[in-house]
Amino acid sequence: MLLDNVPEFPLWLGAAALAGAAVAGINPTRRGPELVRDIAHTDCALLITERAHLPLLAGLDLPLPPERILLTDDDPDDPAYRELLAPYEGARPQDVLGSALRATGHGRAGRPDPATRMLLYFTSGSTGAPKAALCTQGRLAAAGHSLVAYFGVRREDVHYLCMPMFHGNAVIAGWSPALAGGAAVALRRRFSASAFLPDVRRYGATYFTYVGRAVQYLLATPPAPDDRDHPLRTGFGTEAGAVDVARFADRFGVRLIEGYGSSEGGASLQRTRTPRPAPSAAPPRGRPRRRRPGDRRRTAARPPGPGRPAAQRCAGHRGVGQPGAQRLRGLLAQPGGHRRPHPGPVRGRRRRGLVLDR
């Protein structure tokens, strides 16, 4: 889907979930060969887009024919999209349940299950070309229910989605808990710092997600006497930084909760109020020495004893989730690239200070 945050995006997400199809969010800031590469990498059978993005596709050698490109906004003189959907008016969820699985011969009894692939969303590409991380229906549902319990999502809440829905932040941390908790969703086509508070007041938003420099952009807007006049309670995201988190709370009266989750699943971290070392870390003794021939390299974590938490606290962060609940789902294989292994649950491994329970 090559769409901004328009109503068709979550509607197609729901349709794909029922049918058992996978959705790949395409980043509209990509251009030329990079855009073609993303579409080809995810093996898209159908490209759902809007007229505003047609100039991005002009002149490109796309890996699918023109008839497999679906426009979700009709031209006044060409109501093709409305006509396409007209036969399905009044359709019930059970009418389309598993239709994509049956058409492709996949799935158990032609019905989606927790292992059915749901999302292909791209990594940042900091170590090469962006790679599509896999997210199943079970993982997305589990994340939604977990965040409902953690944030106390209520039916009267409104989740403000101002981050792009082609990114996992908006879908996994914003849309899925709203769906699981019965809350409403307010969509902003594209993030706007100046429109943020007016939108929050207009829609009665109580929760939002953020990534990157969004919080800094909000703090850079001119202060106003009514900065605290809004229903917003919580923001959840990453990369805001401790100083900006404190400034945001002081100015807007909103608590920001900083967290990080790996694109492939398997681990998530949340910043704690007071950084502290891991409980199992022993105080340093003497001076470290270089490794000598014959020394045994210790890489495995000490097996947890009774009463030790499932995810050990480490410096300034703590693991979030239940032991063994998340699995590394890996990345979609790509020609000339690599695929990260799919080892299953992360159990009893120590890597850069994070210890997960057996």
Side-chain angles (χ1 to χ4, degrees):
M1 290 201 290
L2 180 61
L3 295 170
D4 289 334
N5 286 9
V6 294
E8 293 302 307
F9 205 124
L11 291 176
W12 276 101
L13 280 177
L18 288 171
V23 171
I26 303 299
N27 185 345
T29 66
R30 304 269 283 173
R31 296 290 188 272
E34 292 181 344
L35 183 60
V36 174
R37 179 260 172 201
D38 290 350
I39 296 172
H41 172 51
T42 50
D43 195 23
C44 293
L46 176 68
L47 179 61
I48 302 171
T49 187
E50 52 186 316
R51 296 182 186 278
H53 293 320
L54 284 181
L56 301 179
L57 305 175
L60 298 183
D61 185 18
L62 296 175
L64 66 172
E67 60 269 20
R68 303 301 295 175
I69 299 176
L70 177 63
L71 298 178
T72 62
D73 49 344
D74 284 328
D75 184 279
D77 299 325
D78 182 17
Y81 187 61
R82 291 196 303 272
E83 292 176 356
L84 179 69
L85 298 182
Y88 303 96
E89 185 176 0
R92 300 167 300 172
Q94 56 266 36
D95 297 334
V96 297
L97 189 64
S99 56
L101 296 174
R102 290 191 296 273
T104 57
H106 293 85
R108 301 173 183 173
R111 298 172 63 90
D113 60 28
T116 301
R117 186 179 299 177
M118 173 66 189
L119 299 175
L120 301 173
Y121 58 99
F122 285 92
T123 60
S124 62
S126 57
T127 58
K131 305 166 188 68
L134 311 179
C135 181
T136 63
Q137 290 203 18
R139 179 184 166 198
L140 184 63
H145 285 288
S146 176
L147 292 174
V148 165
Y150 187 81
F151 291 116
V153 177
R154 303 167 299 186
R155 292 184 62 85
E156 56 268 28
D157 284 331
V158 176
H159 288 200
Y160 180 55
L161 302 190
C162 54
M163 295 292 101
M165 292 192 72
F166 66 76
H167 191 272
N169 169 275
V171 175
I172 296 176
W175 179 71
S176 69
L179 190 67
V185 166
L187 297 174
R188 177 77 190 179
R189 175 178 277 271
R190 293 190 178 184
F191 174 76
S192 168
S194 61
F196 181 83
L197 276 183
D199 277 355
V200 165
R201 296 179 182 123
R202 176 185 177 188
Y203 298 115
T206 55
Y207 170 92
F208 80 105
T209 65
Y210 62 88
V211 291
R213 303 177 69 88
V215 169
Q216 295 181 29
Y217 294 143
L218 292 172
L219 290 171
T221 59
D226 60 349
D227 277 345
R228 285 175 168 250
D229 182 16
H230 58 75
L232 200 60
R233 297 194 311 267
T234 308
F236 180 50
T238 187
E239 300 181 59
V243 173
D244 288 339
V245 167
R247 290 178 59 205
F248 200 88
D250 182 65
R251 176 175 168 182
F252 298 106
V254 177
R255 180 190 176 198
L256 298 184
I257 299 176
E258 279 278 297
Y260 167 79
S262 64
S263 300
E264 307 91 318
S268 58
L269 304 176
Q270 181 194 322
R271 186 189 301 275
T272 56
R273 293 181 181 273
T274 305
R276 66 188 69 182
S280 58
R285 296 180 180 179
R287 298 176 59 188
R289 64 174 176 84
R290 293 183 179 276
R291 184 168 178 260
R292 298 172 180 171
D295 285 350
R296 296 182 61 187
R297 184 185 296 273
R298 299 184 63 184
T299 57
R302 177 169 63 89
R308 290 179 63 193
Q312 299 293 335
R313 286 185 180 272
C314 50
H317 296 80
R318 66 182 178 88
V320 179
Q322 298 178 351
Q326 297 192 52
R327 291 176 178 265
L328 291 176
R329 294 296 175 186
L331 302 166
L332 195 66
Q334 57 179 336
H338 72 280
R339 176 177 177 140
R340 195 166 299 181
H342 184 322
V346 179
R347 299 185 186 277
R349 297 183 182 181
R350 184 189 298 273
R351 187 169 182 84
R352 295 184 181 178
L354 175 66
V355 181
L356 297 183
D357 202 345
R358 271 185 162 78

